[in-house]
Structures are given as C-alpha cells and as structure tokens.
Amino acid sequence: MTKSKAAAIGASNGRPPPLRLVIDGDALVANWQWLRTQGGNADCGAAVKANGYGLGASEVVARLAAAGCRDFFCATWAEAEAIGPLPDAVALSVLHGVRAEDMPAALASRVRPVLNTIEQVTRWRESGGGPCDVMVDTGINRLGLTPAQARSGLLDGLTIETLLSHLSCADEPGHPLNERQRDAFRTIRDAVPARRYSLANSAGILLGRDYGFDLLRPGIALYGGVPTPDDAASTALRLTVKMEAQVIQLRHVPAGEGVGYGAKWTAQADARIAVLNIGYADGMLRQLGPCLEAVVGGERRSLAGRISMDMITVDAGSADVAEGDWVELDYDLPKLAARSGLTQYELLTGLGRRFDRIWR
Ligand SMILES: *Cc1c(COP(=O)(O)O)cnc(C)c1O
C-alpha cells in the first residue's frame, strides 16, 4: 500500500485524516487493458487531467506506464509539472496548448503542446519548438483548428507527432454527428501528415474500431466510469475508488427529534445516528444526500438529514458500529450518476483535497 505523493490536508505527522479513498491500482490497469483490446491495433493512452480525474495523476501515470501505457494527456502546464518526472519512453501532451507565459516551461521540457489555434502554431513555430501535437475541430466547436485552417499550409514543416480531434456526442451511439466527425477526421488524415491520428475518448472507443485510428485516449472509463449504457463495458470496467469516512460520534436521537440543518429528518422512533467525517467541502454535494448509501456494520443505511460542510449523518439503525469505525459510502459511479443527475465525471473530479488517497 503506497500513499499518493500529494499528501492530503491533515495527513501530517503520520496521522491519517478521517476520510479516505482506497484506490484499486489493479482495477485501473485492468480497465486500461480492456479498453486497449477494444481498439483493434490502436495504441492506448490515458487522460490524466484534473489530477487523474481526482485519483492522483502521478500515481496513475506510474501504474499505467508500468503496464505499458506510453501516451498521457493533461490539460495545462501546471498539471504537467505536478505529475513530476516522467518514466522513460513515456510521452505527455498538454491539451490546452501553449500560452506565451507557458513557453519557457514548454521549451525546457519534453512534454508536448497540443496546438489548437493559429496563434499557438505561430508561437511554437517561431520559437523553434520541436515535436508537437495538433487538435483539429471536426464538429464539437470547442478547441482546435478548423479543418480549413489545418489544410491551409499553416502546419507545413511542423513535426506533428499526433493529430487529434475530439467527439461531441460519443456517449450517444446513434447520434449522426459521430459518423460525420469520423469521416471529417479521415479527410484531415489524408491531407495533413502526422505520425499518428487519434479521435476516440472512452465513449468513442465503444463506438467501434473505425473510431480507433492509431491512438485511443480514454479517461473516465479507466477510472471505472461506464461512458455509455453498454453491457460489455458495464461488465468489464471495474470501479477504482472506494470511499470511506470515520465515525466521529455515535448518538441517540429520541423519537420526534430532528437531525442536522433545517431539522429535515425526524426520528420516527428512537434512533442511532452515526456522524461521519465527510461533507460537501469534500465533494459530497447536498443533492447526493438522498442518493447515497452507507455500509454500516455490513448493512446498507441511508443518510439522515442534510449533508453539512464537513459531516454527514447516517441512520445507523441497530447496525454494529462504534465511534472510530470506518464506514464505506457506496460510490458506484454509474448508479450514483443515474440517481443524482450529476455526471460520473463530476462525481470523480469533485472529490476534495482532504481525502487520504491510499493505493492498493
Ligand atoms: C478529457 C479528454 C479525453 C478523455 O475523455 P473521457 O470521456 O474521460 O474518456 C480525451 N480527449 C480529450 C481531448 C479530452 O479532453
């Protein structure tokens, strides 16, 4: 069991904080291996932006690099620096390109920018920057050169390692924009030389092998999210994060009394309430309250009352639990997303800094 390098707040002096994410490194690697098999001959990379979707980017890179992953993607240069030294033969690309103020860092490292705009291309070319990646927008209308810009000669002479595009509606397999973007990307591929071409995120991989091109870029599915209601994916992809918080008080609440802010929950009979050290400041948003279940002494129990900033209150019933015990909160991403209306992405990347992140 190793601790992630970015220590949680409160983890000083060897005292563990009272809330933790237990992260299953084998599940992460198994998810990556399964996604790779879905892409035919394409290589399989990994998106590790937002601190590895909240798990800890350095640790994710180390685990996946050891399993054979060679291509990683983060959003900004600050994220690239936070990952730290890269294992040999591993490449990292910064999806948001390179601003003027990023140039010194970019030129001093072997991390590649993904150039998105004419300004970025010009900046990189004039600096004599080396190999780069390029994003072409085939229909999401967010980041990237237009296809016309990409074919205009603007890119002539650049050493393009990977030419990318990003799908807008990959999580809706029947959406007509998917095929339009795939076909537009083929046209770009035939016009703009690059060593490799890459289109598919997690949901894009599940659209079929003709979306794979040379390099897959899964994110959410690596971490146990199921990007589309796909039976094979639901079966194959494993949750990576188990959430646990410590009981900091166990109290008896007499029948008729309320619990928490607004007294929104009333004990129907004399009740036992377990107060857990986790709240909305840790990403446990209030709207999750009615959707969450705690596993208390082996029993599934619901929350009692509102989620507070630093605490939740659980109706423990007669479950076997004591002050100081660790209680698991069921953080099944697809299930919780369906119940809460939040996305699986929000559920993962919103997890706060106070958690101890413990890798197994
Ligand atoms: C975030 C991101 C990915 C990964 O997306 P998932 O939906 O999490 O698989 C891939 N490519 C780009 C450009 C991204 O921004």
Side-chain angles (χ1 to χ4, degrees):
M1 209 156 83
T2 54
K3 294 279 173 63
S4 103
K5 286 178 197 88
I9 292 172
S12 55
N13 301 327
R15 290 190 310 276
L19 66 171
R20 63 192 181 196
L21 302 174
V22 182
I23 304 171
D24 184 340
D26 292 341
L28 173 76
V29 168
N31 291 342
W32 179 77
Q33 284 166 335
W34 184 80
L35 289 160
R36 187 175 54 164
T37 63
Q38 303 307 298
N41 293 324
D43 293 331
C44 190
V48 296
K49 56 202 187 188
N51 194 26
Y53 287 50
L55 278 67
S58 310
E59 193 72 35
V60 171
V61 169
R63 301 271 172 154
L64 292 181
C69 184
R70 291 291 168 263
D71 300 276
F72 294 89
F73 298 87
C74 63
T76 65
W77 291 90
E79 287 187 349
E81 279 160 38
I83 290 170
L86 296 172
D88 288 344
V90 160
L92 175 64
S93 300
V94 174
L95 289 164
H96 291 189
V98 62
R99 304 171 302 170
E101 52 269 55
D102 299 322
M103 283 303 294
L107 291 171
S109 87
R110 64 182 177 88
V111 177
R112 290 195 301 270
V114 180
L115 305 176
N116 296 295
T117 66
I118 293 178
E119 289 76 6
Q120 291 178 2
V121 170
T122 308
R123 186 175 295 132
W124 192 248
R125 186 195 290 289
E126 287 176 354
S127 77
C132 59
D133 296 341
V134 171
M135 174 71 78
V136 178
D137 193 313
T138 51
I140 191 171
N141 283 309
R142 210 179 51 175
L143 267 183
L145 298 171
T146 65
Q149 289 169 340
R151 285 196 304 262
S152 68
L154 172 75
L155 301 172
D156 290 356
L158 281 183
T159 307
I160 304 177
E161 170 63 28
T162 308
L163 191 119
L164 299 79
S165 191
H166 192 55
L167 295 163
S168 162
C169 304
D171 57 348
E172 298 173 52
H175 200 292
L177 192 49
N178 292 323
E179 290 184 3
R180 287 216 302 274
Q181 286 197 264
R182 181 201 59 197
D183 295 346
F185 193 56
R186 284 184 180 148
T187 306
I188 300 287
R189 177 191 58 186
D190 296 342
V192 180
R195 195 173 78 79
R196 287 188 302 182
Y197 298 85
S198 173
L199 177 64
N201 64 340
S202 301
I205 295 168
L206 302 181
L207 290 175
R209 294 203 169 170
D210 48 337
Y211 286 79
F213 292 87
D214 303 311
L215 174 64
L216 314 171
R217 305 190 309 268
I220 191 74
L222 293 171
Y223 308 108
V226 181
T228 35
D230 176 297
D231 285 343
S234 311
T235 311
L237 294 170
R238 290 160 55 186
L239 291 174
T240 55
V241 171
K242 190 167 136 192
M243 180 182 295
E244 295 178 337
Q246 221 168 359
V247 178
I248 50 174
Q249 184 166 9
L250 197 66
R251 68 183 309 115
H252 292 269
V253 176
E257 290 202 13
V259 169
Y261 287 122
K264 292 295 181 197
W265 186 91
T266 303
Q268 299 303 306
D270 288 356
R272 279 167 83 231
I273 299 293
V275 183
L276 305 190
N277 194 114
I278 183 171
Y280 58 75
D282 306 301
M284 277 297 104
L285 302 183
R286 269 200 178 168
Q287 74 196 83
L288 288 173
C291 320
L292 271 177
E293 283 177 329
V295 186
V296 188
E299 294 180 30
R300 302 184 77 82
R301 310 291 310 180
S302 16
L303 305 203
R306 282 184 177 157
I307 293 177
S308 305
M309 185 186 296
D310 318 299
M311 280 174 266
I312 64 175
T313 36
V314 175
D315 174 15
S318 56
D320 179 12
V321 62
E323 188 177 319
D325 284 356
W326 288 90
V327 167
E328 179 183 350
L329 292 161
D330 182 358
Y331 214 66
D332 180 304
L333 294 173
K335 192 173 77 182
L336 208 49
R339 285 186 184 174
S340 68
L342 290 169
T343 65
Q344 297 173 75
Y345 300 84
E346 291 165 303
L347 289 170
L348 264 191
T349 60
L351 297 177
R353 292 179 58 213
R354 296 193 294 192
F355 286 99
D356 209 357
R357 284 165 165 82
I358 299 172
W359 286 77
R360 301 195 195 275

